[in-house]
Amino acid sequence: MSPDHGPLLYEGKAKRIFAADKAEQVIVEFKDDATAFNALKKSQLEGKGKLNCQISACLFEMIEALGVRTHYLGIADENWMVAERVKVIPLEIVLRNIATGSLCKETPIDPGTELKPPLLDIYFKDDGLADPLLTDARLELLGLVSAEQRIEIETISRRVNELLKGFFEKVDLLLVDFKLELGINQLGELLVADEISPDTCRIWDMRTNDPENRILDKDRFRKDLGRVVDSYAEIHKRVQGISSKPRNYS
Ligand code: UDP
């Protein structure tokens, strides 16, 4: 069921953002569409939108409770979330605890290497440019954030990593890496935005060592491993075990 909403403001690969009654809010629909490799690979995964919405809601509430500001306000329906309206900064902040993915394609670092301290990579969010990795100098050149905001973004992202890692460990899940997006609200405050879900995190099941079976995130889709939605449901089940039911927002 779709809640009451205003006009479509933006459509991304996995979500649609609609205007809400209140100008300072938006209503986010999580879609079942799955894409990978800059949308070269596409599919529909029934039930994914609902799971990503519910997992994100739980995780947003858990980090908020520990002092991290997010755009999340509450759930409007199974796959619908109400959020504070923010101007999303076109940067993808990737935190890596274990080396895998693009880091191992672009450097000689062995897959599985533990990264201490966690590695923070900043990419420019631009599909046309295939989200290039930025150097500090290029980030400064682009002028998207001030020097103070750059430091705040790093502090928030590292804090979110430590919190998420801790939550997941409690239910035998290993947070390998994940991507964050941040936005600025009408008061000029930096908030964690977008989603935190198996679409944007790599999460391994610590209850098995099997290199394929332990993968519970979007890599199952990227690598054609099957059981994608089942794995997202397993993450949801475990996260529910350490969180309260996400609040409704109306
Ligand atoms: N990621 C994401 N959106 C992107 C790129 C990466 O959510 O556009 C997430 C990805 O799911 C993983 C982490 O960021 O958890 C690091 O991804 P990586 O740089 O290794 O890229 P990939 O191997 O996915 O191309």
Side-chain angles (χ1 to χ4, degrees):
M1 268 278 287
S2 130
D4 286 346
H5 58 71
L8 180 69
L9 300 173
Y10 171 81
E11 176 152 12
K13 292 190 281 271
K15 295 187 291 299
R16 288 190 191 96
I17 316 285
F18 295 91
D21 285 347
K22 297 187 182 128
E24 68 282 9
Q25 294 176 3
V26 291
I27 304 186
V28 183
E29 178 192 12
F30 286 68
K31 301 191 285 184
D32 285 342
D33 301 26
T35 64
F37 312 119
N38 208 8
L40 287 175
K41 178 171 179 167
K42 288 185 193 165
S43 192
Q44 279 278 314
L45 298 172
E46 202 189 327
K48 179 182 82 86
K50 173 190 153 191
L51 287 163
N52 278 352
C53 181
Q54 299 295 324
I55 293 167
S56 278
C58 291
L59 296 174
F60 278 142
E61 283 194 23
M62 289 161 78
I63 62 173
E64 282 258 18
L66 294 167
V68 178
R69 300 281 314 274
T70 81
H71 73 153
Y72 168 82
L73 293 171
I75 290 290
D77 209 323
E78 281 186 334
N79 64 318
W80 293 82
M81 182 183 282
V82 185
E84 196 170 331
R85 193 170 190 149
V86 295
K87 197 165 177 295
V88 174
I89 302 168
L91 296 175
E92 298 196 340
I93 318 297
V94 171
L95 266 289
R96 303 176 190 275
N97 297 307
I98 307 280
T100 188
S102 68
L103 177 64
C104 298
K105 291 199 190 94
E106 294 161 3
T107 72
I109 296 167
D110 286 330
T113 306
E114 197 177 344
L115 303 166
K116 273 192 169 170
L119 181 68
L120 184 146
D121 283 329
I122 301 185
Y123 297 82
F124 182 43
K125 185 176 156 69
D126 186 317
D127 284 342
L129 298 174
D131 299 344
L133 177 63
L134 295 176
T135 60
D136 274 345
R138 288 183 184 195
L139 182 57
E140 200 182 324
L141 189 66
L142 286 173
L144 297 168
V145 291
S146 66
E148 293 74 32
Q149 284 173 329
R150 162 80 182 79
I151 293 167
E152 202 185 339
I153 287 172
E154 171 150 0
T155 306
I156 294 171
S157 304
R158 289 192 181 279
R159 171 98 176 119
V160 172
N161 182 41
E162 290 310 314
L163 294 176
L164 293 179
K165 227 170 32 168
F167 301 148
F168 285 135
E169 267 167 18
K170 285 190 194 161
V171 284
D172 300 332
L173 296 173
L174 178 66
L175 180 62
V176 173
D177 58 29
F178 67 102
K179 183 248 327 183
L180 275 188
E181 292 182 25
L182 290 103
I184 300 177
N185 69 8
Q186 287 170 346
L187 301 173
E189 298 162 324
L190 260 181
L191 306 181
V192 174
D194 195 47
E195 65 183 282
I196 306 177
S197 77
D199 267 8
T200 60
C201 301
R202 284 195 174 95
I203 298 167
W204 291 352
D205 185 357
M206 292 159 83
R207 295 178 189 163
T208 173
N209 284 324
D210 182 273
E212 283 190 359
N213 287 339
R214 71 182 175 186
I215 297 172
L216 296 177
D217 54 75
K218 190 167 149 184
D219 271 353
R220 298 203 70 84
F221 172 69
R222 294 188 187 97
K223 299 179 183 196
D224 290 319
L225 298 177
R227 289 190 287 108
V228 182
V229 176
D230 288 352
S231 300
Y232 284 31
E234 178 63 25
I235 293 176
H236 183 221
K237 196 174 92 188
R238 293 199 204 176
V239 167
Q240 279 178 308
I242 48 165
S243 66
S244 40
K245 199 167 172 286
R247 60 180 173 253
N248 276 308
Y249 195 92
S250 49

